[in-house]
Amino acid sequence: MPVRAEPVGLSGDDAHAVDQLRAAAERIGEECGKVIVGQKDVMELLLIAVLAQGHALLVGVPGLAKTLMIRTLADSMNLTFNRVQFTPDLIPTDITGTRMIEEDPETHRPVFKFLPGPLFANVVLADEVNRTPPKTQSSLLEAMQERQVTVAGVRHLLPDPFFVLATQNPIEQEGTYPLPEAQQDRFMFTVNVGYPSEEEEFRILESTTSASRERPQHVVNGPQLLEMQKLVRRVPAAGFVIRYAMRIARLTRPGTQDGEAPDPNVPDFVKKYVTWGAGPRAGQNLILAAKARALLHGRTYVATEDVKAVARPVMRHRIVTNYNADADRVTPDEIVNKLLALVPARSAE
């Protein structure tokens, strides 16, 4: 039998790097807090996604500062930022880039030159991504997964680090194009952005209608962020934590397609309400996000509580519910909550 390699944990030399990461994360939160009132949970999820090299989809009604949150986070990390407003007339080359004919200054002959599109930035905001047709939406797939774009048969690498942070409006669905499941699966998180509290809304109105406007200071830069991402990957995850995350993902699969036999432990409510469950990428994202969260909370190992904390944003867009769920008003979040209550969080249970 092949010998399975044990995960390599953080070394003593990494202790200082862990402290630096946590201190930097706290400073980023403080700098973003100068501009963004409230929404601390949303900002933490965005920071986790960035540290875990994931993409995030923010869902909320207009006016909740989704765009401002993304821009402020990019500014605090001194990353290049581009915003693309997705509209029905947008075509793929509008965001990936295109080839232009120019005259060579030496030979005076026409040559093709690649003109990069707005995807060539560290942080790309795809604003109202569901308002553009699937043909243009799909142009994001290669960028999100491979960190490159292919134009006229030539591959062009995107900057590193690279993140797509998209926004989506949950209301006014007329004239929109729902994201295909394959593209939704590329997002590490779907983050629901809610209304502010009464006190937070007062502070928003007070700060945004005054003459002075705060600007975030740069806390880290691109190379430092890349080192933080490498550190996240080195955080050890015990076998029972990995099995816990895997169990949550596997129990969302009713196994009714193409004669596939379901897991005998799949609960009845999943069989009743779910058409398609989460794939292996859900488990990968659960572990990576949990590693980043563990470091942000001052731990050098992953606990099941970290997996629990990121389960809803990781899983909610990967569970496809059926008509029974619509009739009973059962949401993917409720299904995930039931699974978290059902699956033992400790290896001894």
Side-chain angles (χ1 to χ4, degrees):
M1 293 179 62
V3 178
R4 185 174 59 189
E6 291 296 324
V8 179
L10 296 176
S11 64
D13 296 336
D14 290 323
H16 182 59
V18 171
D19 293 338
Q20 285 185 319
L21 183 147
R22 192 179 183 196
E26 290 177 354
R27 280 199 58 205
I28 289 171
E30 292 171 1
E31 294 301 321
C32 291
K34 295 178 180 178
V35 181
I36 305 298
V37 177
Q39 305 291 3
K40 289 186 177 180
D41 291 341
V42 175
M43 293 303 298
E44 182 183 54
L45 288 174
L46 287 179
L47 185 56
I48 289 173
V50 168
L51 291 174
Q53 297 177 284
H55 311 286
L57 176 64
L58 277 68
V59 179
V61 299
L64 295 181
K66 300 186 294 297
T67 299
L68 184 60
M69 277 190 275
I70 296 170
R71 181 186 290 275
T72 304
L73 183 63
D75 287 344
S76 69
M77 295 183 176
N78 197 20
L79 301 176
T80 57
F81 173 85
N82 278 335
R83 175 179 182 266
V84 184
Q85 184 66 48
F86 277 64
T87 56
D89 60 346
L90 206 68
I91 62 175
T93 53
D94 288 337
I95 60 175
T96 61
T98 187
R99 293 203 304 171
M100 305 287 289
I101 297 179
E102 290 187 356
E103 184 181 274
D104 189 292
E106 296 180 358
T107 64
H108 300 288
R109 299 179 62 181
V111 293
F112 281 105
K113 181 181 179 181
F114 178 67
L115 183 65
L119 277 182
F120 286 79
N122 297 126
V123 179
V124 177
L125 167 59
D127 214 353
E128 294 194 279
V129 67
N130 59 329
R131 295 205 175 276
T132 200
K135 182 178 181 180
T136 306
Q137 290 176 359
S138 64
S139 63
L140 286 174
L141 282 175
E142 183 183 15
M144 294 171 68
Q145 187 65 30
E146 308 296 337
R147 265 67 174 183
Q148 67 178 30
V149 296
T150 303
V151 178
V154 180
R155 291 182 296 176
H156 302 274
L157 296 179
L158 294 169
D160 197 14
F162 173 75
F163 311 99
V164 173
L165 301 175
T167 68
Q168 190 167 294
N169 185 353
I171 59 177
E172 193 186 354
Q173 295 300 311
E174 183 177 351
T176 61
Y177 305 85
L179 291 180
E181 281 73 14
Q183 184 163 349
Q184 290 190 58
D185 198 39
R186 262 64 177 191
F187 287 102
M188 170 174 278
F189 291 150
T190 290
V191 183
N192 291 334
V193 183
Y195 289 110
S197 66
E198 183 177 353
E199 179 59 29
E200 289 171 347
E201 191 160 355
F202 174 83
R203 290 168 54 200
I204 290 171
L205 298 181
E206 182 182 42
S207 62
T208 56
T209 56
S210 63
S212 61
R213 297 295 297 272
E214 292 277 1
R215 294 187 64 87
Q217 299 295 317
H218 301 322
V219 178
V220 297
N221 54 33
Q224 290 172 327
L225 181 57
L226 291 175
E227 291 302 315
M228 292 179 179
Q229 292 174 342
K230 293 177 183 177
L231 183 64
V232 168
R233 291 268 179 170
R234 294 200 297 272
V235 174
F240 76 90
V241 175
I242 295 176
R243 289 193 178 278
Y244 177 72
M246 182 181 69
R247 189 83 176 142
I248 293 172
R250 290 182 63 85
L251 288 182
T252 63
R253 305 170 193 167
T256 56
Q257 289 77 28
D258 299 326
E260 178 187 358
D263 187 319
N265 295 313
V266 171
D268 291 337
F269 63 85
V270 170
K271 296 176 184 177
K272 180 179 180 181
Y273 294 126
V274 177
T275 301
W276 293 96
R281 191 177 281 121
Q284 293 171 338
N285 287 332
L286 282 171
I287 296 299
L288 284 173
K291 287 184 175 187
R293 184 184 184 275
L295 289 182
L296 292 182
H297 286 254
R299 281 179 283 102
T300 57
Y301 61 91
V302 182
T304 52
E305 67 183 80
D306 297 311
V307 177
K308 273 188 171 184
V310 299
R312 279 173 289 275
V314 168
M315 303 289 289
R316 62 170 55 113
H317 57 291
R318 294 182 163 93
I319 296 176
V320 181
T321 53
N322 55 26
Y323 292 109
N324 293 328
D326 292 341
D328 293 345
R329 298 184 179 181
V330 175
T331 65
D333 274 16
E334 292 177 41
I335 293 172
V336 176
N337 289 339
K338 288 183 178 182
L339 286 174
L340 292 176
L342 182 67
V343 179
R346 298 179 179 84
S347 57
E349 293 180 359

